[in-house]
Amino acid sequence: DAGVIQSPRHEVTEMGQEVTLRCKPISGHNSLFWYRQTMMRGLELLIYFNNNVPIDDSGMPEDRFSAKMPNASFSTLKIQPSEPRDSAVYFCASSLWQGEAFFGQGTRLTVV
Amino acid sequence: AQSVTQLGSHVSVSEGALVLLRCNYSSSVPPYLFWYVQYPNQGLQLLLKYTSAATLVKGINGFEAEFKKSETSFHLTKPSAHMSDAAEYFCAVSPTGTASKLTFGTGTRLQVTL
């Protein structure tokens, strides 16, 4: 298996623009997680899904952030409108229910 | 709420020396505990995990950690550091019964010198 695949690896966008980050989990995994990593706050869980259903989105910082999982093999994290303070590395991870989490390589987002 | 505290944001050791990275947890119930490693521009890779079985846990790359309930600690050790061990290490905790809803510590950057 190719592991968790995230795209793009790097994204630079202007403040106010919409940004969409993509994630393909490991085939057969039924849990998916979005994390954000910043120098100031470290690694934070934003949202996670079980069987494509959002279970806990309490980590989503504000309404500008939204996440979807239309099927078992794809998820998106969208920021609209983006702001400079959203600059971070965003990780997607997947697992079997309650099993070990496998992480993607991350998307480095820079909002200028 | 569960949390972990990593003591020391930077640790430097000589090649061949003992590696000791400290992690203390806070949890009202026995948690699951993990150590992850992150190499530059990479995602996180699981080193080892404690899930209420043996208190001494052996992981990949020669690392091990011991769960000490009396000290609420889960320190990571390796007897002899190698240059390739230079990376950032994260301690994490999750609720018992799940290994994937993780709360991470702030990380410790390990430097290995000649």
Side-chain angles (χ1 to χ4, degrees):
Chain A
D1 199 313
V4 176
I5 299 172
Q6 293 187 244
S7 63
R9 289 294 311 277
H10 301 273
E11 175 80 39
V12 179
T13 191
E14 292 186 347
M15 181 174 61
Q17 296 297 305
E18 177 180 295
V19 175
T20 299
L21 311 181
R22 297 173 175 79
C23 176
K24 177 177 169 41
I26 292 173
S27 177
H29 282 186
N30 52 11
S31 296
L32 184 139
F33 305 79
W34 283 101
Y35 288 86
R36 179 172 68 174
Q37 184 178 34
T38 61
M39 289 293 292
M40 292 298 294
R41 301 176 65 89
L43 277 155
E44 305 171 280
L45 176 63
L46 299 179
I47 184 172
Y48 77 95
F49 297 82
N50 281 336
N51 295 321
N52 313 338
V53 176
I55 302 300
D56 184 352
D57 65 354
S58 59
M60 296 286 261
E62 41 194 288
D63 291 346
R64 297 184 296 105
F65 286 71
S66 63
K68 293 183 179 180
M69 192 165 186
N71 57 61
S73 58
F74 184 65
S75 176
T76 60
L77 178 67
K78 184 176 295 186
I79 308 172
Q80 166 63 16
S82 58
E83 297 183 2
R85 60 195 169 116
D86 302 330
S87 298
V89 181
Y90 292 82
F91 288 102
C92 177
S94 72
S95 73
L96 290 169
W97 172 233
Q98 299 183 336
E100 173 191 339
F102 290 82
F103 284 75
Q105 293 192 308
T107 295
R108 182 175 297 276
L109 173 65
T110 304
V111 183
V112 298
Chain B
Q2 297 178 317
S3 65
V4 288
T5 301
Q6 292 184 241
L7 300 176
S9 59
H10 290 83
V11 170
S12 181
V13 300
S14 300
E15 191 174 36
L18 171 71
V19 175
L20 171 60
L21 305 182
R22 300 177 186 274
C23 174
N24 288 88
Y25 70 91
S26 173
S27 177
S28 58
V29 297
Y32 284 3
L33 292 161
F34 309 82
W35 277 98
Y36 279 83
V37 61
Q38 184 180 29
Y39 298 101
N41 300 314
Q42 299 292 317
L44 285 82
Q45 180 182 7
L46 181 67
L47 274 178
L48 49 81
K49 61 185 177 185
Y50 167 77
T51 56
S52 70
T55 57
L56 181 62
V57 181
K58 294 187 184 298
I60 62 172
N61 301 338
F63 285 93
E64 64 180 38
E66 186 172 7
F67 174 74
K68 292 187 176 180
K69 185 177 179 181
S70 61
E71 299 178 7
T72 62
S73 67
F74 190 60
H75 302 331
L76 182 70
T77 60
K78 182 175 181 178
S80 177
H82 191 271
M83 295 296 289
S84 60
D85 295 327
E88 187 141 21
Y89 292 80
F90 292 91
C91 183
V93 62
S94 72
T96 298
T98 176
S100 40
K101 185 175 182 293
L102 301 162
T103 299
F104 286 92
T106 51
T108 298
R109 185 168 297 278
L110 176 65
Q111 181 182 19
V112 182
T113 59
L114 288 171

